[in-house]
């Protein structure tokens, strides 16, 4: 009996070209569009997909993987013997302790008095500051999180009044937000989603606009990073949160205005992932207007939203739209020295490297990734885009560039046996 169903690219017997076509079709991308973004001819793409040309070499495979938002290379190549997840970094040695704290119940009797929400808020402020200052930020917050999680959970449980409970829930929601920064891109996606959902529930229970905005901002990112099938969910999250915050914005404090601006940028980020140029830059303009109302020195501790970050955000929009020349122009215009957070600066350097790589400036891209590594080694080690560029350049035909990429790959742990 004939079967007209779309084949599953995860079945090993499907050839590379068939997998490429299936994944391209799922993204709703035409063959000429894919060819243009890859820098190849339409006939080349057609020949690859029909099996008339075999699997390309690694640099081209990696470019196809990024274009089609493939998370694990085996989904594209069919080689299940050595799966390479480009967007999942290594498991941090503190992950089990954080996981245990998240999963623990605080239902049993305890003789310990929970810290007050004010005390927890002060600890959180120190934790965020430590994260921004540390080159190995997962190490720092991974050490702090288990105690923060348990104490915040206990504070909610021991709250005596509705007001105290709402205040404790707001703190607990932000603790979960900090946890998401630690867990992201580690090999436990179920834990990430559990924390995201608990953070949203706690934020809604708190009825605090800022807590709700932060939880929505992180949840939108989790949806978007799950792939094109979840872009609508990401959009719904950002738009609903913005609609909730809008009535309070005329009189909002800086942190609430900042989370609204961060959500506006997230809407633009998702639009850029869709390839919607006008919509993406339109949201960036709205975020820019929101940033302009903030003090010049203000820097949101969770989202990094500020006047200083808007140049970096412009680079991200241009890169996601795969506009090489515009990406480089925005990278040159952005003032990276104004970003006070080491991990956020490293992330910006990675986006700059993507811009130079798109524009064919591979040597500059590698140099920029080296600067990202200097700012925050853990950030680049867990970043799929950086890993993809480095792996591609280890196959460069230019010996000096190949050697430079190999050194960086070794620093990132990509060459470990």
């Amino acid at each position: 009996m004939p079967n007209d169903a779309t084949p599953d690219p995860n079945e090993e017997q499907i050839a590379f070209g068939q997998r490429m076509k299936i994944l391209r079709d799922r993204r709703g991308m035409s063959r000429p569009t894919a060819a243009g973004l890859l820098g190849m001819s339409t006939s080349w793409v057609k020949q690859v997909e029909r099996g008339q040309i075999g699997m390309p070499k690694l640099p081209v495979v990696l470019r196809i993987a990024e274009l089609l938002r493939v998370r694990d290379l085996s989904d594209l190549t069919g080689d299940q013997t050595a799966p390479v997840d480009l967007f999942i970094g290594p498991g941090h040695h503190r992950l089990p302790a954080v996981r245990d704290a998240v999963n623990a119940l605080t239902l049993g009797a305890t003789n310990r008095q929970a810290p007050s929400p004010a005390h927890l808020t002060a600890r959180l402020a120190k934790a965020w500051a430590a994260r921004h200052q540390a080159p190995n930020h997962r190490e720092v917050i991974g050490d702090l999180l288990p105690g923060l999680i348990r104490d915040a959970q206990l504070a909610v449980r021991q709250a005596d009044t509705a007001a105290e409970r709402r205040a404790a829930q707001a703190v607990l929601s932000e603790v979960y937000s900090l946890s998401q920064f630690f867990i992201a891109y580690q090999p436990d996606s179920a834990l990430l989603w559990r924390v995201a959902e608990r953070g949203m529930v706690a934020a809604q229970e708190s009825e605090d606009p800022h807590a709700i905005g932060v939880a929505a901002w992180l949840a939108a990112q989790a949806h978007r990073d799950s792939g094109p099938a979840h872009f609508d969910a990401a959009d719904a999250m950002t738009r609903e949160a913005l609609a909730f915050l809008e009535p309070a914005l005329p009189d909002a404090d800086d942190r609430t205005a900042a989370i609204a601006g961060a959500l506006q940028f997230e809407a633009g980020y998702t639009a850029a992932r869709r390839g919607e140029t006008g919509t993406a830059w339109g949201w960036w303009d709205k975020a820019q207007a929101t940033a302009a109302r903030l003090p010049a020195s203000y820097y949101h501790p969770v989202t990094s939203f500020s006047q200083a970050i808007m140049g970096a955000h412009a680079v991200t929009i241009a890169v996601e739209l795969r506009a090489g020349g515009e990406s480089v122009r925005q990278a040159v215009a952005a003032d990276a020295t104004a970003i006070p957070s080491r991990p956020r600066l490293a992330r910006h350097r990675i986006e700059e490297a993507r811009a130079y790589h798109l524009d064919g400036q591979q040597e500059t891209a590698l140099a920029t990734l080296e600067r990202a590594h200097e700012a925050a080694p853990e950030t680049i080690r867990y970043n799929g885009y950086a890993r993809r560029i480095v792996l591609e350049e280890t196959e460069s035909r230019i010996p000096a560039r190949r050697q430079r990429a190999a050194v960086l790959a070794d620093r990132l742990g990509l060459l470990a046996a």
Side-chain angles (χ1 to χ4, degrees):
M1 184 175 181
N3 184 0
D4 296 328
T6 301
D8 184 350
N10 295 314
E11 293 182 10
E12 293 189 31
Q13 65 268 27
I14 298 178
F16 175 86
Q18 291 176 287
R19 292 171 182 272
M20 180 177 169
K21 183 178 187 305
I22 293 166
L23 293 165
R24 176 177 61 76
D25 287 342
R26 286 186 178 179
R27 276 192 55 77
M29 183 180 294
S30 70
R31 190 173 281 156
T33 298
L37 294 174
L38 289 170
M40 300 292 190
S41 67
T42 302
S43 63
W44 181 88
V45 173
K46 184 177 181 180
Q47 287 177 306
V48 171
E49 292 184 344
R50 290 187 172 183
Q52 295 168 331
I53 297 178
M55 186 190 304
K57 292 185 177 180
L58 180 61
V60 179
V61 171
L62 289 167
R63 261 186 281 158
I64 295 169
E66 181 182 10
L67 177 67
L68 301 179
R69 304 293 178 185
V70 174
R71 300 190 70 84
D72 192 318
L73 277 181
S74 63
D75 293 342
L76 180 61
T77 65
D79 182 3
Q80 303 293 328
T81 60
V84 177
D85 193 324
L86 293 173
F87 290 87
I88 296 295
H92 196 278
H93 72 97
R94 297 194 185 277
L95 180 60
V98 173
R99 183 191 297 117
D100 289 346
V102 171
N103 291 339
L105 294 176
T106 57
L107 300 180
T110 178
N111 295 324
R112 185 167 66 89
Q113 178 65 39
S116 68
H119 174 83
L120 288 169
T121 298
R123 283 168 61 186
L124 261 175
K126 289 183 179 179
W128 284 117
R131 177 185 179 271
H132 290 305
Q133 295 163 7
N136 294 309
H137 46 94
R138 280 184 173 82
E139 180 68 24
V140 172
I141 63 175
D143 182 45
L144 299 173
L145 274 172
L148 271 170
I149 293 168
R150 290 190 173 94
D151 285 350
Q153 290 173 337
L154 190 61
V156 170
R157 180 159 177 77
Q158 291 184 357
D160 291 326
T161 67
E164 289 176 354
R165 186 175 181 83
R166 286 195 297 271
Q169 291 280 22
V171 175
L172 178 60
S173 177
E174 190 170 330
V175 170
Y176 283 137
S177 296
L178 182 63
S179 302
Q180 284 179 255
F181 278 86
F182 173 81
I183 299 167
Y185 308 116
Q186 293 202 55
D188 195 339
S189 57
L191 181 65
L192 179 67
W193 277 107
R194 188 152 63 250
V195 167
E197 290 168 357
R198 289 187 185 182
M200 179 58 74
V201 170
Q204 290 176 318
E205 290 290 329
S206 77
E207 301 179 5
D208 179 86
H210 177 262
I212 291 171
V214 170
W217 179 76
L218 283 163
Q221 292 185 23
H223 280 297
R224 186 182 59 240
D225 288 346
S226 296
H230 300 267
F231 286 176
D232 286 347
D235 279 333
M237 187 67 67
T238 51
R239 292 174 186 271
E240 189 172 349
L242 282 167
F244 172 78
L245 292 172
E246 188 174 0
L249 288 182
D251 301 314
D253 57 15
D254 289 340
R255 68 175 196 154
T256 303
I259 193 58
L263 285 162
Q264 289 166 339
F265 169 70
E266 287 305 315
Y269 195 158
T270 305
R273 281 278 182 93
R274 293 182 187 273
E276 299 170 351
T277 301
T279 302
W281 285 114
W283 278 112
W284 185 90
D285 287 340
K286 291 179 181 179
Q288 172 78 335
T290 301
R293 64 174 280 188
L294 298 170
S297 61
Y298 180 82
Y299 198 82
H300 191 266
V302 181
T303 67
S304 295
F305 190 80
S306 57
Q307 292 185 27
I309 210 66
M310 291 310 300
H313 282 340
V315 176
T316 296
I317 293 291
V319 167
E320 291 296 340
L321 290 169
R322 303 190 67 79
E326 178 64 14
S327 300
V328 170
R329 190 183 74 80
Q330 294 293 349
V332 171
D335 181 11
T337 62
I339 301 175
S341 167
R342 292 186 70 151
R344 189 60 186 85
L345 174 59
R347 166 70 189 281
H348 173 55
R349 294 297 187 203
I350 293 167
E351 296 294 276
E352 287 183 319
R354 293 178 68 197
Y356 290 120
H357 198 260
L358 272 174
D359 200 47
Q361 301 183 45
Q362 283 83 357
E363 191 70 33
T364 306
L366 280 176
T368 307
L369 288 178
E370 290 168 347
R371 297 172 72 188
H373 189 269
E374 291 172 6
E378 280 191 351
T379 295
I380 184 172
R381 191 179 183 201
Y382 284 83
N383 187 281
Y385 297 115
R387 291 153 65 91
R388 200 271 296 177
I389 293 172
V390 172
L391 282 172
E392 180 174 329
E393 292 307 314
T394 60
E395 298 287 319
S396 172
R397 294 181 180 179
I398 301 174
R401 189 192 302 165
R402 188 167 63 245
Q403 176 62 25
R404 190 173 191 174
V407 170
L408 188 52
D410 185 53
R411 290 177 184 172
L412 302 183
L414 297 178
L415 301 184

